[in-house]
Amino acid sequence: MIKLALRGARANLGRLILTLISVVLGVAFVSGSFVLADSLRSIFDQVSEDAFAGVDAQVRGIENDMNSTDGEIPRFDDGVISSIAKLPEAQYTEGGLFSFERAYTIDSNDEVVRPTGPPVFTGSWGGPSPVSSFRILDGEPPTAQQVVIDPVQAERGGFEVGQDITISLPFGEPEVFTLSGTIDFGEGGTGGAFFILFDLPTAQRVLGLPGQVDSVVVAAADGVSPDELVTAISAVLPDNLEAVTGEVVIGEQKEDFGSFINIFGNVLLGFAIVVLFVSTFIINNTFATLVGQRTRMFGLMRSIGASSKQIMQMVFIEAGSIGLAASGLGLVGGLGVASALKQLFSSAGGEFPEGPLEIRTRTIIVVVIVGMGVTLASAILPALRASRVTPLEAFRSGGKTARPLTVRIAAGSAVLLPGLILLAIGMFGNPGGTAATLACIGIGGALTFIGVSMLSAMFAGVVAGFIGQPVAKLRGVTGRIARGNASRNPQRTSSTVTALMIGLALISGVAVLTKSILDSFEEVLSESISADLWVFESNQRLEFSGLLVDQLAELPEVGQVAGFSPTAIRIDDEVLTATGFDSSTGTSVVNMGIVDGVAEIGREGIAVLDTVAEKRQLSIGDQVDIEFEDGYATSLNVRGIFDDASVIGADWLIDRRLTTEHRITDGITFAGLTYADGVDPAAGRAAVEATTSSFPQLSVQDNTEFQEEAEGQIAQLQIVITALLVLCLVVAFFGIVNTMVLAVLERTREIGLLRAVGMTRRQLQSSVRWEAAIISLFGALLGVVLGLLLGWAAVIAIPDSFVSKLGIPWGQLIVYVLVGGLLGVIAAWFPARRAARLDVLEAISTQ
Amino acid sequence: MTTTETLAAAARIVNGTKTYGDGDAAVTALHEVNVEFGSARFTAIMGPSGSGKSTLMHCIAGLDRLTSGEAFLGDTLLADLKDKKLTELRRSEVGFIFQSFNLVPTLTAEENINLPLSLGGRSGDREWIDTVIDTVGLRDRLSHRPSELSGGQQQRVAVARALASRPTIIFADEPTGNLDSNSGSEVLAFMRRAVDEFGQTIVMVTHDANAAAAADRVLFLNDGKIVHDMSEPTAERILDMMKSIGS
Ligand SMILES: Nc1ncnc2c1ncn2[C@@H]1O[C@H](COP(=O)(O)OP(=O)(O)O)[C@@H](O)[C@H]1O
Ligand SMILES: [Mg+2]
């Protein structure tokens, strides 16, 4: 039996190879995701271990739900350093202070030196010591008015050790420091991030945090265990601080990196699963066709004594051998995929640290299970059908018994409906947790696609016939034959293009969502904004010093200016987000749609979003008890109710004086301003830019530029997602090639006839290509329509504050449909040539 | 044996030899055959299985090439033609009727009839096509697909298709082989009428003496050679001849 099955696989090798390719692509993507994530994890684990190798204990502020916003960790008084240093258990003690995106080196062209993706860290370094995370590469550790940086930054800026370099600082004018040396983080480079390190007093001064540190690292005296050290330190710590062992720190550090890598890996895996899912349709289609073509052989085998179980086993063994081969190739291909993905992401700006690619045993097991599983699962239905072939069918010429329409509608709906319900629960409901939501959307989406694919067989013939109408008109009989062939086997037509449909549905869904986001954004800009200029950190919308607002307010060219600062607040034991803003000037730059009361809430006031006010039964004049990040509690008076949170980004508005006083930093995320009356915009802008020039990370933009930049960024994201989804189209492509090869083979006799009565090779090729074009256009059209519906559903599901209206990128959608058709034409290239090359006589005499 | 005819030839083979394979495995399917097919005549070709009937037909119809010798369709030397010209020649000058699977399943009867014409981008002589359709009695079946037609009707559509472009010559390879005797004689009758009324040239390979008797002339093949050329055949004479060849 096995021999027979393998022989079957070998005899159909040509057709199976194409199927193999589509499985391999999916499997390779899965294994690539694992390989890449595992390799990154190893690299970052090593970095963490190196960096904290000498640290026996670390002292740090205790994070709570309020003080861990914006990635900054709590700071504390550096007086604690001396009390720890006095402990006999402590051999070496060092305080450290870090922040990011605060200071930048400036090169000789007055340009800021910064990496494209990763952040720039500014902080302190006490020089080589038992606890140092850094290692000097060249030169000396920094002393007063000296600085050390990483070598990549030095090279980028053209800085030599010993040279004076200008560094822009978060407060005040840029200063000149002498570059005393270059450093490396741990042993493994800096992962693309830049470092600017001073001695502790200088770091405290430039960061505006005198007397503050955010960690104290301690090396234990001889014979003292880390645990003993931690116990000893804990005894002298105030309540807001804690001590942990170096091992804990390394573990947390690994986890921090790990959780980022997990997200990254899971996103990749998500794409991989989509690709795999798409390829199951190809496998299924191939096996269904092969089984159909071999009905007579199976009948013959049954009549000479093969049991139906044996027939089924035969199909499964065939599928299994394909699965195994695909797993092996996919595993190897995964290495290629991993390095290709690395390339893709580094070209998009993120730099991956160097390191070997890693194939773990777990990856091998997963890949084999996935490859085999997917292939076997796809072969279930065809195998069942093969097993049902009766001995009699060996003597009948293959009259296919299609299942009755009602059964097909019932089966399709039985899959589609639960799919839609799950999808709806995932998008609109709240199934509890991100994982549950994703599971609902994923499984619901998969069922929806399967259901649509099953149901589409009902109308594939009619629609393909309709799409082929113009082809039949324009291309004469060649076109009519193409059209007839495209619609003659609706079942096959629909399963052939399922992969294309899914790929294009996802791609156009993303396109619809992107367009909707942009349109909503444009609406926000036109309706909610009255500022002439915006100031914000250009890289990642990070915070910058609120002092800038005061500096801008002093300019004669500036009319009104307001800064906005997000903060955590606690109301009724719930941690919420509020935006602090300059309430006396805010309405001149942002229209938050005050529906009751005023926006000028003042220091004792608070404004609340109308829906929230309704839910909490708040109205003008009520008092709200509120607690701030530093624990300060007060009661604020409700003075305004607003209905447009799109710019503010929070349900609560308070006065910025409160956030300045009661947050860890005084930072703001953006400032908006209007020009003074009669000021020429160019002159106004020049004045603003002159003021912001001491903060080179800041970007000054008017509304048009702001919108263009946002468009650019969202478009780039769309490109990355689309690029990953294009893999589905590649799989779809092989699926179409596969079907066309099978179709040509199946129709050898007919092709012979056509050639005999006068169809030229060229006409034959053209008719096969048109056939594929019509089939693909059908799939593309179906996919784009589905994508439109998915995008629309997403727009409804996503909160209005982010996406408020549906935008349809007609141009893109039309292009996708055409691309789909073109894909079919290209996919048919080889099968069409093959058909044209058939020997006429042999073809006619084929049985 | 050489056969010549006084009438203008619609097709001819001069010293035609066809060998399949080479070396020890070589099979000579046609052996220095000289034959002419006169215009407006109905010729039947008979002979035992493997005697070279199909090969002869294929070589003269431009579906296959002679190993040596010359095949002419009208005045055109087929050896000179590349695939494209040969295809165009088949399309306009040759009609085919095969034993089975004659029609394109996705096209209607009418589209099948017009197929060679439409492949050439021509609409043909509408009046003539109407006459053909009426002659074979398919007027009410024109919009049907082959799967909706009986075997006899399908063969009649094939006859109509072969006639539609008024080709120089029609080749029929056992056109009645798969039909019951009633449908078979109907199809034969149409072929006969095409020759008599429209002056069509037809060459038909058959195993059936009764079918061959409908022809004007019967050529007997054996071992790749023409062994007898019979005019005004009757079923009886044909059977005798076949016996003497020893099939
Ligand atoms: N494509 C081919 N390859 C090899 N031998 C062939 C081929 N076609 C026909 N023959 C051989 O040529 C001889 C004549 O075949 P054919 O013309 O089909 O005979 P008929 O039609 O009279 O039965 C036979 O011996 C046959 O086996
Ligand atoms: Mg024959």
Side-chain angles (χ1 to χ4, degrees), chain A residues 86-426:
Chain A
K86 275 185 221 134
L87 294 169
E89 288 86 352
Q91 186 227 336
Y92 185 91
T93 309
E94 184 179 323
L97 178 63
F98 270 87
S99 189
F100 60 100
E101 302 294 340
R102 291 254 138 176
Y104 304 89
T105 52
I106 295 175
D107 68 13
S108 54
N109 300 323
D110 253 2
E111 299 282 345
V112 175
V113 183
R114 68 192 305 188
T116 31
V120 179
F121 289 97
T122 307
S124 67
W125 187 46
S129 72
V131 293
S132 177
S133 301
F134 296 95
R135 175 167 77 111
I136 197 104
L137 291 172
D138 188 16
E140 299 292 327
T143 57
Q145 221 55 29
Q146 290 188 338
V147 67
V148 290
I149 61 176
D150 57 281
V152 179
Q153 186 177 193
E155 201 197 311
R156 197 82 69 75
F159 306 131
E160 303 279 346
V161 172
Q163 183 187 335
D164 282 351
I165 56 178
T166 309
I167 296 178
S168 82
L169 300 174
F171 305 102
E173 294 295 311
E175 286 179 29
V176 174
F177 294 85
T178 306
L179 183 64
S180 65
T182 55
I183 46 89
D184 199 5
F185 185 66
E187 305 277 327
T190 58
F194 284 3
F195 286 87
I196 300 174
L197 305 179
F198 307 97
D199 65 6
L200 183 59
T202 310
Q204 289 171 332
R205 178 176 67 80
V206 300
L207 289 173
L209 295 163
Q212 304 262 293
V213 289
D214 58 23
S215 85
V216 177
V217 281
V218 188
D222 278 348
V224 177
S225 78
D227 287 328
E228 285 162 0
L229 179 63
V230 165
T231 318
I233 295 172
S234 299
V236 300
L237 289 183
D239 279 353
N240 63 327
L241 299 186
E242 62 177 356
V244 291
T245 60
E247 213 173 306
V248 171
V249 175
I250 291 174
E252 285 174 356
Q253 188 75 42
K254 284 182 181 173
E255 222 169 275
D256 269 7
F257 281 133
S259 62
F260 162 73
I261 294 166
N262 280 347
I263 293 174
F264 175 76
N266 286 344
V267 167
L268 284 183
L269 203 57
F271 281 106
I273 289 172
V274 170
V275 174
L276 258 184
F277 175 65
V278 161
S279 58
T280 59
F281 289 92
I282 311 280
I283 312 167
N284 174 269
N285 193 25
T286 308
F287 276 100
T289 312
L290 289 182
V291 164
Q293 286 174 351
R294 280 183 293 173
T295 302
R296 280 175 90 162
M297 187 194 94
F298 291 139
L300 190 69
M301 289 181 57
R302 294 279 282 125
S303 68
I304 59 173
S307 71
S308 70
K309 206 169 134 202
Q310 281 173 314
I311 302 279
M312 191 150 81
Q313 275 169 359
M314 213 177 105
V315 177
F316 275 133
I317 291 168
E318 233 178 272
S321 53
I322 293 282
L324 200 62
S327 304
L329 290 172
L331 197 63
V332 178
L335 293 176
V337 170
S339 32
L341 283 172
K342 252 174 132 170
Q343 217 74 45
L344 179 73
F345 285 104
S346 37
S347 68
E351 277 166 70
F352 281 120
E354 286 303 313
L357 293 174
E358 213 175 273
I359 300 186
R360 295 192 186 167
T361 321
R362 187 258 286 118
T363 310
I364 298 177
I365 294 170
V366 168
V367 158
V368 171
I369 290 176
V370 161
M372 295 280 284
V374 158
T375 320
L376 289 175
S378 320
I380 289 178
L381 285 179
L384 273 178
R385 224 183 79 197
S387 74
R388 290 209 204 97
V389 171
T390 60
L392 257 184
E393 270 169 276
F395 309 105
R396 274 208 302 263
S397 54
K400 282 193 204 99
T401 42
R403 275 182 293 164
L405 196 64
T406 45
V407 175
R408 296 226 305 265
I409 294 178
S413 312
V415 177
L416 179 62
L417 283 181
L420 287 176
I421 292 169
L422 273 178
L423 202 56
I425 293 176

Side-chain angles (χ1 to χ4, degrees), chain A residues 477-478 480-481 484-485 488 749-750 752-763 839-841 844, chain B residues 58 63-64 83-84 87-88 90-91 96 98 100-107 111 115-116 118-120 161:
Chain A
V477 73
T478 322
R480 244 173 305 156
I481 289 171
N485 285 334
R488 84 199 277 182
R749 181 77 221 253
E750 193 178 318
L753 173 72
L754 282 165
R755 293 273 291 124
V757 301
M759 187 176 239
T760 58
R761 290 196 163 130
R762 193 181 284 251
Q763 283 175 321
D839 183 83
V840 183
L841 269 182
I844 311 179
Chain B
H58 293 154
L63 286 172
D64 207 350
D83 183 80
K84 182 156 184 285
T87 305
E88 282 164 6
R90 283 202 301 272
R91 183 197 282 166
F96 285 102
F98 298 104
S100 62
F101 204 86
N102 251 307
L103 308 179
V104 179
T106 47
L107 299 180
E111 286 170 333
L115 185 58
S118 12
L119 281 171
R161 179 191 62 208

Side-chain angles (χ1 to χ4, degrees), chain B residues 128-233:
Chain B
W128 164 245
I129 293 170
D130 274 340
T131 315
V132 169
I133 288 170
D134 287 331
T135 311
V136 295
L138 284 167
R139 175 72 49 208
D140 56 340
R141 291 277 185 280
L142 285 181
S143 59
H144 290 225
R145 305 224 173 229
S147 57
E148 299 158 338
L149 298 175
S150 72
Q153 285 168 334
Q154 288 186 28
Q155 285 308 76
R156 272 146 62 191
V157 174
V159 173
R161 179 191 62 208
L163 288 168
S165 58
R166 284 184 184 270
T168 309
I169 191 163
I170 290 177
F171 292 101
D173 198 346
E174 301 191 39
T176 57
N178 266 7
L179 300 182
D180 60 71
S181 60
N182 269 343
S183 312
S185 26
E186 244 173 45
V187 169
L188 278 173
F190 292 128
M191 290 168 59
R192 185 71 251 173
R193 273 180 71 188
V195 175
D196 295 340
E197 292 174 28
F198 313 134
Q200 182 63 56
T201 310
I202 297 182
V203 175
M204 169 179 75
V205 169
T206 183
H207 277 293
D208 178 359
N210 288 318
D216 299 318
R217 170 192 181 202
V218 182
L219 293 179
F220 294 88
L221 254 73
N222 198 13
D223 283 342
K225 293 179 193 143
I226 294 174
V227 291
H228 189 74
D229 185 346
M230 181 186 290
S231 295
E232 286 156 39

Side-chain angles (χ1 to χ4, degrees), chain A residues 6-69:
Chain A
L6 291 181
R7 206 169 293 155
R10 217 163 55 216
N12 294 300
L13 202 60
R15 314 165 207 195
L16 291 175
I17 276 177
L18 291 161
T19 315
L20 192 69
I21 293 175
S22 49
V23 192
V24 168
L25 280 175
V27 173
F29 205 162
V30 171
S31 100
S33 308
F34 279 113
V35 167
L36 190 55
D38 287 343
S39 313
L40 288 176
R41 213 168 277 131
S42 297
I43 293 167
F44 280 110
D45 281 359
Q46 196 58 47
V47 168
S48 309
E49 276 173 30
D50 291 345
F52 296 96
V55 174
D56 292 313
Q58 188 195 46
V59 173
R60 58 195 188 187
I62 296 171
E63 293 199 9
N64 59 40
D65 48 5
M66 300 270 286
N67 68 5
S68 58
T69 49

